[in-house]
């Protein structure tokens, strides 16, 4: 590749970064918080006032969850696949299903049984969970609910909560989570009162 070809590739990076960020509805401020790159540097990078470097592109590719070559070359057309990388956290395998930072996040989780009493926690956000297989036990404040395959629950995560397998078998769950308290629009029709008392 000659110098002119390199210059053309680098000139296309800024507009591609802006388009990628705007398609995902992410602000420069939110992206700066995710990547550790200043808002002014991100703005100059998108406008072409700053040349793209590997040091800048690597955290941006990670934040947008896209391959590095998608930032410096044309993305594959018509390929809607999410290339998610599973990771382990404690007794869970988590597969992220969304590629943008901020906003609603989708995850597939396989949760294994764990010894010891459940410990409820709180944090900002709102969660919607759908059981794909197995049985999920959800402790929400003073409620103790068991969800079976095909059932869903939604709750404000500022309430003390814990979830995990209801028995000795793992449970597979689809989770939608909004850090800013975004509510989901899908609701499960209740089948009747739970036998909790």
């Amino acid at each position: 590749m000659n110098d002119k070809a390199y210059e053309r590739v680098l000139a296309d990076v800024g507009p591609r970064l802006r388009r990628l960020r705007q398609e995902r509805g992410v602000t420069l401020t939110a992206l700066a918080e995710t990547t550790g790159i200043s808002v002014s540097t991100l703005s100059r990078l998108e406008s072409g006032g700053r040349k793209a470097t590997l040091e800048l592109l690597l955290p941006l590719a990670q934040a947008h969850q896209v391959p590095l070559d998608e930032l410096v070359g044309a993305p594959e057309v018509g390929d809607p696949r999410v290339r998610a990388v599973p990771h382990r956290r404690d007794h869970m395998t988590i597969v992220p299903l969304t590629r943008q930072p901020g906003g609603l996040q989708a995850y597939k989780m396989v949760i294994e049984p764990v010894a010891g009493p459940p410990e409820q926690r709180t944090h900002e956000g709102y969660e919607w969970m759908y059981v794909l297989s197995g049985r999920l036990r959800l402790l929400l404040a003073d409620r103790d609910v068991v969800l079976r395959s095909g059932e869903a629950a939604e709750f404000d995560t500022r309430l003390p909560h814990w979830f995990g397998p209801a028995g000795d078998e793992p449970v597979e769950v689809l989770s939608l989570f909004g850090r800013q308290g975004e509510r989901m629009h899908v609701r499960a029709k209740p089948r009747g009162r739970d036998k909790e008392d």
Side-chain angles (χ1 to χ4, degrees):
M1 189 181 282
N2 59 35
D3 289 345
K4 286 185 179 178
Y6 278 124
E7 289 299 319
R8 279 196 305 272
V9 167
L10 290 177
D12 290 341
V13 170
R16 189 173 294 119
L17 286 170
R18 177 181 285 118
R19 186 175 60 249
L20 192 61
R21 177 179 62 77
Q22 290 174 342
E23 284 173 357
R24 287 161 169 71
V26 179
T27 64
L28 283 171
T29 303
L31 189 58
E33 289 174 4
T34 303
T35 61
I37 301 169
S38 72
V39 171
S40 62
T41 299
L42 290 171
S43 179
R44 291 190 350 249
L45 191 59
E46 288 186 359
S47 66
R50 170 108 186 225
K51 281 192 177 179
T53 64
L54 195 57
E55 183 180 35
L56 294 172
L57 291 178
L58 283 174
L60 287 168
Q62 185 176 14
H64 290 306
Q65 295 185 348
V66 297
L68 185 60
D69 60 355
E70 188 171 321
L71 298 183
V72 295
E76 294 179 31
V77 176
D79 186 355
R81 291 177 292 184
V82 175
R83 291 175 172 85
V85 178
H87 61 274
R88 293 274 305 169
R89 183 186 304 156
D90 299 325
H91 58 287
M92 290 190 275
T93 300
I94 302 170
V95 182
L97 301 176
T98 44
R99 299 175 1 150
Q100 74 277 6
L104 295 177
Q105 299 292 308
Y107 302 94
K108 178 181 173 185
M109 298 185 290
V110 178
I111 311 169
E112 299 166 6
V114 62
E119 186 176 323
Q120 292 180 313
R121 62 190 183 107
T122 63
H123 53 87
E124 287 293 320
Y126 202 84
E127 189 148 8
W128 178 88
M129 304 183 90
Y130 177 84
V131 180
L132 296 168
S133 67
R135 294 184 312 132
L136 179 77
R137 182 180 180 200
L138 171 63
L139 301 179
L140 186 60
D142 60 349
R143 297 192 61 152
D144 189 342
V145 180
V146 174
L147 302 168
R148 291 166 183 76
S149 178
E151 294 185 315
E154 61 178 336
F155 56 93
D156 187 327
T157 57
R158 291 174 296 183
L159 291 172
H161 64 281
W162 175 91
F163 52 84
D168 296 330
E169 299 294 322
V171 62
E172 190 174 7
V173 175
L174 179 64
S175 168
L176 298 178
F177 176 72
R179 292 190 185 281
Q180 302 304 317
E182 296 95 336
R183 292 181 68 99
M184 316 311 158
H185 296 291
V186 179
R187 299 232 179 354
K189 182 179 177 183
R191 291 186 178 176
R193 293 194 51 84
D194 296 313
K195 295 178 182 176
E196 302 169 325
D197 301 315

